[in-house]
Amino acid sequence: MNKILEVDPSIVVILITGYGDIELAVRASKRSHQLPVKTLGEQETAATIKTSMQLRQSKLELQELRTKQKVLMADQNQPFVTIIGSSPAMQKVFSIALKVAATDANVLILGENGTGKELIARAIHRDSRRKDEVFISVDLGLSANPCLKASFSDLKKALSPMPRKTVPGASKRLTRAPSSWMRFGNLTLSLQSKLLSVLQNRNVVRLGTNKEIPIDVRLICATNMPLYQMVREGKFRQDLLYRINTVEVHVPSLRERIEDIPALIEHFLEIYCHKYKIAMKRVSEDTLSRLKKHDWPGTSGNCNMPWKGPSS
C-alpha cells in the first residue's frame, strides 16, 4: 500500500483483511480509505467501492483546481512584458495608469494594433487593490455572433460568486473581485445592451435560472476601433461608452514617440544578438534616421521587463 501511494498519492486504497485487529486498523487508516474485513456482504462491498471512487474523483478535481490556481497566480504575478519609453507621450500614459490603478474606476484604453494596450491593462491591475484576485481576459473582438455570446457567457461564469470551500485560498468576500480585461469594438448592439445592463445593475443571471447574482468587478476595456465615430454613426451605444470610459488612456503608436526608437533598437539588438550568439551589433546614424521616418503601423515597444511607471 505504501509503495502504491508513493507512485500516486491521489489513489484511494481499500485494504481488505481477514483480521479485525485494532492496531492494524489504526495503522492502515492513516493512509487508506477503508479497512473492510473479508466477511463484508455484496452490498457493503459495492458501497465501499463506490465511496472510494467518489473520493478519488474529488481528489483529482481538487488537484486540478490547485494546478489552475497556480497557473493563474503565476500569470498574474509574472514580470509583465511592458513598454520601453521615456518620451513625453509615454510618460503621460504611465502617469495616468499609475493614478487610476489606485481607484476602482473603469478604464478605456485606446490605441492602434500592437501599441501595448493589454500590457497597460495588466500593469493597472497589478498596482490595484485587486492585485491578489484573478485578472480575467475576455476577447469580444470576434466576428461570429455565437462566439461572442459564448465569451460573454464565460465572463458571467467567471464573475459569479463561489462558496469559499470550493475555492482554495479564496478571500472572505462572497463574490470574487477580479479585474476583467475586454478586447471589443465590433460588439453587436444587442450584446452591447446586455453588457450595459450588467455594468449598471452589477449582477448577472446564469443560464437556466432567474436568480440574480451580485458581482464585484473592475472593468478595463480596450479597442483599436474609432468608438466616438461609431457612436455618431449609431454603431456603438453612447451610454455604454460613458459607462466604460470613466478614465480614458490613449496609448501612442511608435511614430508618435520616435524619441523611444534608439532605446528600443538597443534593447532588441541585445536580445537577438544574445539569442543567436553573435557579437553585439550597432546601427549607423543613417539607419537610425531612416527608422525614425518610418510610419511603424501596428508596432509597440514590448520588452521583457517589469513595468515600473514613469521611471522605467
Side-chain angles (χ1 to χ4, degrees):
M1 182 184 69
N2 291 334
K3 289 293 183 182
I4 291 172
L5 294 174
E6 284 178 9
V7 174
D8 186 352
S10 67
I11 288 178
V12 177
V13 177
I14 301 176
L15 192 62
I16 302 176
T17 179
Y19 303 94
D21 182 80
I22 295 178
E23 182 182 353
L24 176 62
V26 171
R27 287 173 55 198
S29 64
K30 291 181 179 179
R31 302 206 69 183
S32 65
H33 173 49
Q34 298 281 353
L35 184 69
V37 295
K38 290 182 179 179
T39 56
L40 277 180
E42 183 178 331
Q43 291 185 349
E44 291 87 348
T45 302
T48 298
I49 294 174
K50 183 178 180 180
T51 303
S52 299
M53 291 175 64
Q54 291 173 343
L55 180 60
R56 161 75 169 173
Q57 186 62 32
S58 298
K59 284 187 174 183
L60 292 176
E61 289 176 357
L62 180 58
Q63 185 177 356
E64 183 180 1
L65 281 172
R66 285 173 174 169
T67 301
K68 288 181 178 179
Q69 185 188 36
K70 288 180 180 178
V71 172
L72 286 171
M73 294 304 293
D75 179 65
Q76 174 184 317
N77 296 323
Q78 65 176 314
F80 297 123
V81 179
T82 190
I83 300 176
I84 289 178
S86 58
S87 62
M90 288 310 301
Q91 292 300 309
K92 182 178 179 180
V93 171
F94 294 148
S95 177
I96 296 174
L98 285 174
K99 288 178 182 177
V100 74
T103 73
D104 242 1
N106 291 334
V107 182
L108 175 61
I109 304 176
L110 302 176
E112 299 178 11
N113 284 337
T115 50
K117 297 184 291 295
E118 182 171 358
L119 310 181
I120 296 297
R122 287 185 175 275
I124 290 173
H125 171 73
R126 191 189 64 199
D127 289 340
S128 73
R129 70 175 182 85
R130 301 169 186 262
K131 61 184 178 181
D132 294 327
E133 302 293 343
V134 178
F135 182 89
I136 302 171
S137 179
V138 181
D139 190 351
L140 299 182
L142 306 173
S143 57
N145 202 47
C147 293
L148 284 170
K149 289 182 178 179
S151 294
F152 195 77
S153 177
D154 289 342
L155 174 63
K156 287 184 177 182
K157 292 178 183 178
L159 303 184
S160 298
M162 276 187 160
R164 281 180 295 166
K165 63 181 181 180
T166 64
V167 184
S171 65
K172 295 181 180 179
R173 290 188 300 276
L174 291 180
T175 55
R176 294 179 180 181
S179 294
S180 182
W181 150 258
M182 285 187 176
R183 289 180 287 263
F184 72 101
N186 56 347
L187 206 59
T188 64
L189 290 173
S190 173
L191 288 173
Q192 289 177 33
S193 177
K194 294 179 186 297
L195 178 58
L196 179 62
S197 176
V198 170
L199 297 179
Q200 287 178 335
N201 300 325
R202 310 298 287 184
N203 62 55
V204 294
V205 179
R206 277 183 176 165
L207 294 177
T209 70
N210 294 320
K211 184 179 179 181
E212 293 184 345
I213 303 172
I215 62 171
D216 179 10
V217 61
R218 196 253 186 99
L219 198 62
I220 304 175
C221 299
T223 184
N224 61 351
M225 304 287 284
L227 289 187
Y228 291 97
Q229 179 181 336
M230 293 171 66
V231 169
R232 291 192 294 269
E233 296 173 353
K235 298 178 181 179
F236 198 87
R237 294 180 62 112
Q238 188 176 49
D239 48 1
L240 177 57
L241 178 59
Y242 289 154
R243 179 69 61 174
I244 63 177
N245 77 334
T246 306
V247 177
E248 188 174 302
V249 180
H250 172 73
V251 184
S253 64
L254 193 53
R255 64 179 172 276
E256 296 175 273
R257 53 187 188 100
I258 58 174
E259 305 98 315
D260 295 325
I261 290 179
L264 288 166
I265 291 174
E266 183 177 352
H267 173 75
F268 288 114
L269 278 176
E270 184 176 347
I271 287 178
Y272 291 106
C273 287
H274 177 75
K275 179 178 180 179
Y276 296 112
K277 296 179 175 57
I278 59 177
M280 187 63 187
K281 304 293 183 180
R282 293 287 184 268
V283 297
S284 66
E285 289 299 323
D286 180 59
T287 301
L288 180 59
S289 178
R290 295 180 65 179
L291 289 173
K292 287 183 177 180
K293 293 177 182 178
H294 187 60
D295 60 357
W296 298 107
T299 306
S300 67
N302 295 348
C303 70
N304 295 315
M305 291 175 61
W307 184 80
K308 298 179 181 178
S311 62
S312 62

